[in-house]
Amino acid sequence: MSNFVEQRSAIKFCLRNDISAAKTYRMLQKAFGEETMSQKNVYKWYKDFKEGRERVDDLERSGQPSTSIDDRHINKIKELVLANCRLTIRDLVDMVGISFGSVQAILKDHLGLRRLKSRLVPKFLNFFEKERRVKTCEAMLSDYQDVYKQIITGDETWVYAYDPETTNQSSKYREKGEPRPKQPTSKSLKNQGHVDCFL
């Protein structure tokens, strides 16, 4: 924005030195290159200054402020994220009532947060989980002891374990330098507790 203010000052200077609008536009192109404002805008500002305008900055506008980023909204979003770090930007927009871009700017620029997906890690069973599986298998074996000869099975059995949520669903807000959240991988368990019985 300061670049445009500088260009407007240059337009005002050229007008006061009796340089035409077309020549002013060419001089701006030479000085500012690709960042030069459009020809239409240059001519508009040239005309405004010619008609007596003095200010090179934008005039104050009535109505709602241009941004919703203030201490009240920053603190509200901080409280919500601390209470539940899995809230999405859309959730925060609905809860706080400000624009998507404002929420995004508060999270990134003011709170220094970024949303990270869980990193998948191998699932290792602890002692209690192993013990529970052994007991479950023993209970199943004893329950079906009398009917083994009536059971017909195939060559192998696949039992699939599914994660309750995807990596997107498990993503959380983290500060810069904080590690990613971890999530066990879903893996298929082959031949777990499988017994081949023949007639």
Side-chain angles (χ1 to χ4, degrees):
M1 192 62 188
S2 59
N3 188 4
F4 286 155
V5 170
E6 193 178 345
Q7 291 183 55
R8 293 168 193 167
S9 298
I11 294 168
K12 188 176 177 183
F13 175 82
C14 289
L15 171 70
R16 289 189 174 176
N17 284 280
D18 297 323
I19 298 170
S20 69
K23 191 171 181 184
T24 299
Y25 177 63
R26 287 194 298 274
M27 290 170 72
L28 287 172
Q29 283 182 311
K30 186 175 181 182
F32 293 95
E34 292 181 358
E35 295 180 359
T36 307
M37 63 173 73
S38 69
Q39 185 177 13
K40 181 181 175 183
N41 274 339
V42 171
Y43 281 30
K44 175 194 170 296
W45 281 97
Y46 191 94
K47 179 176 176 285
D48 288 350
F49 290 132
K50 194 170 186 177
E51 291 172 353
R53 178 170 179 157
E54 291 296 323
R55 291 180 60 173
V56 293
D57 56 337
D58 291 318
L59 298 173
E60 296 292 332
R61 296 178 186 175
S62 60
Q64 128 179 17
S66 60
T67 181
S68 303
I69 300 173
D70 55 24
D71 290 339
R72 184 172 62 89
H73 287 119
I74 291 170
N75 291 331
K76 178 67 176 171
I77 288 174
K78 184 177 180 181
E79 288 171 14
L80 290 168
V81 170
L82 286 174
N84 181 1
C85 58
R86 289 191 177 186
L87 290 172
T88 64
I89 294 177
R90 282 275 168 230
D91 294 334
L92 293 168
V93 165
D94 294 339
M95 294 164 91
V96 181
I98 60 177
S99 71
F100 188 95
S102 295
V103 172
Q104 209 169 26
I106 288 172
L107 289 168
K108 182 182 176 186
D109 302 332
H110 296 273
L111 298 178
L113 297 174
R114 55 194 182 138
R115 196 166 180 87
L116 294 176
K117 295 179 183 178
S118 299
R119 186 179 56 165
L120 294 174
V121 293
K123 183 172 183 179
F124 295 106
L125 299 178
N126 62 34
F127 171 77
F128 297 106
E129 291 169 329
K130 289 177 183 176
E131 186 70 20
R132 189 167 62 246
R133 287 195 177 190
V134 169
K135 286 183 178 176
T136 301
C137 289
E138 287 174 347
M140 288 176 68
L141 287 170
S142 65
D143 289 345
Y144 292 101
Q145 189 73 38
D146 298 333
V147 291
Y148 277 151
K149 298 214 175 198
Q150 298 172 4
I151 295 175
I152 301 174
T153 64
D155 292 339
E156 60 184 28
T157 303
W158 287 81
V159 179
Y160 291 95
Y162 293 97
D163 291 325
E165 56 189 15
T166 65
T167 53
N168 276 338
Q169 292 168 330
S170 67
S171 61
K172 298 179 181 179
Y173 288 106
R174 288 284 189 265
E175 291 183 359
K176 288 180 182 175
E178 274 193 289
R180 288 179 180 273
K182 294 181 181 178
Q183 176 184 347
T185 58
S186 56
K187 51 162 74 166
S188 57
L189 307 173
K190 185 177 179 182
N191 292 336
Q192 296 292 312
H194 172 67
V195 179
D196 282 325
C197 299
F198 301 95
L199 294 175

